[in-house]
């Protein structure tokens, strides 16, 4: 059996999760060169004794639309790390260093990545929310939004000339899922001002139209 088995059916996908607690899954396509690069790294890690507790999988996601929808796979390659069948880390695109560190954390080889997070998930979320007076949680970042909603929001925010910071939820699956619950808001982007959730794109558009947006972003505006 290969170190990183190719999964081409929903039944085979489900069966792989019936055993083992740690999984690193590449959702890819054979034609994509970046997927081949990631697969090569995963195969090397899978050969090492230090990663025996981790099951590496290569999912032909284009042939499994229901799996793609389940995990919100919008492009290949995407890698998701699972602990006890719960997604704990996500990498959209190719980032070998991030992949290696995530695998180390999952296997217990190194605690470095976990140490940099520090504290409980709620503590992390509160720290991120209060990192800047205006904080935006979105797909991508201000320089490279990765969905139409995020792109439109950044255009609105740039027009206000107000300082703000962004957090790419595609780079941290734990934050991505945890903030939905914490905010009681199921979608992205999400805008926080002074630690308070203002809402998503539709709310921001309404606030912009009414003039309320600038009053909240810049209280000194008359």
């Amino acid at each position: 059996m290969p170190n990183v088995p190719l999964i081409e059916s929903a039944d085979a996908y489900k069966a792989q999760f019936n055993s083992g607690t740690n999984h690193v899954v590449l959702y890819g396509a054979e034609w994509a060169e970046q997927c081949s690069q990631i697969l090569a790294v995963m195969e090397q890690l899978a050969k090492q004794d230090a990663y025996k507790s981790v099951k590496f999988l290569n999912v032909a996601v284009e042939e499994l639309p229901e799996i793609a929808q389940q995990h919100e796979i919008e492009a290949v390659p995407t890698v998701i790390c699972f602990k006890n069948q719960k997604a704990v880390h996500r990498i959209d695109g190719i980032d070998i260093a991030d992949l290696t560190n995530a695998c180390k954390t999952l296997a217990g080889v190194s605690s470095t990545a976990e140490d940099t997070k520090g504290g409980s998930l709620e503590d992390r979320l509160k720290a991120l929310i209060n990192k800047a007076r205006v904080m935006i949680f979105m797909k991508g970042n201000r320089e490279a939004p990765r969905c139409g909603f995020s792109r439109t929001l950044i255009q609105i925010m740039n027009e206000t000339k107000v300082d703000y910071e962004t957090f790419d939820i595609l780079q941290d699956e734990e934050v991505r899922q945890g903030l939905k619950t914490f905010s009681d808001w199921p979608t992205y982007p999400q805008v926080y001002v002074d630690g308070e959730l203002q809402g998503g794109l539709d709310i921001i558009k309404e606030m912009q139209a009414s003039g309320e947006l600038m009053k909240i972003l810049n209280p000194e505006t008359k």
Side-chain angles (χ1 to χ4, degrees):
M1 184 176 182
N3 292 317
V4 184
L6 176 63
I7 307 301
E8 299 180 280
S9 72
D11 288 342
Y13 182 80
K14 294 176 182 178
Q16 289 292 336
F17 280 86
N18 288 337
S19 61
T21 57
N22 300 324
H23 297 78
V24 176
V25 185
L26 165 62
Y27 300 89
E30 188 176 359
W31 54 264
E33 177 61 28
Q34 289 186 333
C35 293
S36 298
Q37 296 175 37
I38 292 174
L39 184 59
V41 173
M42 291 172 58
E43 287 175 341
Q44 288 299 316
L45 294 176
K47 294 176 183 178
Q48 300 178 32
D49 289 340
Y51 297 93
K52 292 298 184 185
S53 64
V54 178
K55 183 177 289 187
F56 294 87
L57 304 175
N58 176 21
V59 176
V61 73
E62 290 184 324
E63 300 174 24
L64 301 168
E66 69 277 14
I67 301 297
Q69 183 177 15
Q70 177 184 350
H71 298 293
E72 300 180 33
I73 307 299
E74 299 175 350
V76 297
T78 296
V79 176
I80 301 181
C81 300
F82 296 88
K83 187 176 184 65
N84 297 323
Q85 301 188 25
K86 179 182 178 181
V88 295
H89 191 74
R90 181 186 184 106
I91 305 168
D92 289 87
I94 184 167
D95 188 332
I96 300 302
D98 192 12
L99 171 62
T100 303
N101 285 331
C103 292
K104 286 181 178 179
T105 300
L106 198 62
V109 174
S110 169
S111 60
T112 302
E114 192 64 29
D115 288 344
T116 60
K117 294 179 178 179
S120 68
L121 176 58
E122 184 174 348
D123 289 339
R124 286 190 63 211
L125 295 176
K126 289 179 178 178
L128 286 170
I129 287 168
N130 291 283
K131 183 179 178 182
R133 181 174 177 273
V134 180
M135 194 71 193
I136 299 175
F137 296 85
M138 58 182 285
K139 294 181 178 180
N141 54 48
R142 63 191 302 167
E143 289 80 20
R146 297 190 60 178
C147 77
F149 297 117
S150 294
R151 189 174 300 110
T152 300
L153 177 62
I154 291 301
Q155 290 173 350
I156 292 173
M157 294 303 298
N158 287 343
E159 290 173 2
T160 69
K161 308 297 184 183
V162 171
D163 291 334
Y164 66 91
E165 290 197 26
T166 63
F167 182 89
D168 184 359
I169 52 98
L170 295 177
Q171 297 301 317
D172 194 318
E173 188 69 9
E174 187 177 36
V175 169
R176 180 182 188 173
Q177 300 301 331
L179 190 62
K180 290 180 182 179
T181 302
F182 183 87
S183 304
D184 194 20
W185 196 270
T187 59
Y188 289 99
Q190 295 182 16
V191 179
Y192 274 83
V193 179
D194 291 326
E196 296 290 334
L197 176 67
Q198 302 303 313
L201 176 59
D202 288 344
I203 299 297
I204 296 302
K205 281 183 173 179
E206 292 176 6
M207 294 171 66
Q208 180 189 38
S210 68
E212 187 69 19
L213 181 61
M214 281 307 301
K215 293 179 182 178
I216 291 176
L217 294 179
N218 187 356
E220 297 180 0
T221 300
K222 302 297 183 182

